[in-house]
Amino acid sequence: MIADTVLGHIDDPAFAGRRQHHVDIGWGDAGKHRQLVTTDTGLEVRIMLPRGVFLHHDAVIADDGHAVVVVRRPAEPAIQVRFADNTARAMLMLGHLLGNQHAPVDVDDDG
């Protein structure tokens, strides 16, 4: 099967009732535009996406009319930073310090 675009989210009504093949894509591979992967059901999928596409959890990347291929993003270790003061200066410093670490960073509103 070939996946050449992100078709939508698995919760979209267009995919209701379809069989689902899941493929685990880690942070390091989520931005790769060319990959050959195997789903949890053994289906081989050739991913050929445009440059700049980042695969998110529950993204549908292939649909043959009967079944869909859905991206799963497994939990991975990430850097967690909490600031008492979320000013623009603090965010700029964080970006500068972590910018070249090539590590996943999750930004949320948890205090």
Side-chain angles (χ1 to χ4, degrees):
M1 187 175 279
I2 295 178
D4 58 6
T5 189
V6 175
L7 301 171
H9 190 272
I10 192 58
D11 291 337
D12 294 347
F15 307 121
R18 303 275 176 91
R19 180 175 181 209
Q20 296 180 18
H21 303 280
H22 292 96
V23 61
D24 291 333
I25 304 284
W27 177 85
D29 292 329
K32 291 182 180 176
H33 68 283
R34 300 276 188 268
Q35 333 181 33
L36 183 61
V37 297
T38 303
T39 67
D40 59 344
T41 59
L43 179 68
E44 190 172 270
V45 180
R46 184 171 304 279
I47 299 175
M48 301 185 320
L49 298 169
R51 289 188 188 274
V53 173
F54 192 83
L55 294 173
H56 296 279
H57 187 75
D58 284 342
V60 175
I61 57 172
D63 179 3
D64 67 4
H66 302 287
V68 293
V69 177
V70 183
V71 172
R72 281 192 305 210
R73 294 289 310 281
E76 298 178 78
I79 296 169
Q80 184 179 49
V81 179
R82 295 187 191 274
F83 287 99
D85 162 12
N86 286 331
T87 64
R89 183 177 190 284
M91 296 299 108
L92 180 64
M93 291 303 296
L94 176 64
H96 175 72
L97 293 170
L98 297 178
N100 201 29
Q101 299 300 312
H102 304 287
V105 176
D106 185 24
V107 178
D108 61 33
D109 293 330
D110 289 345

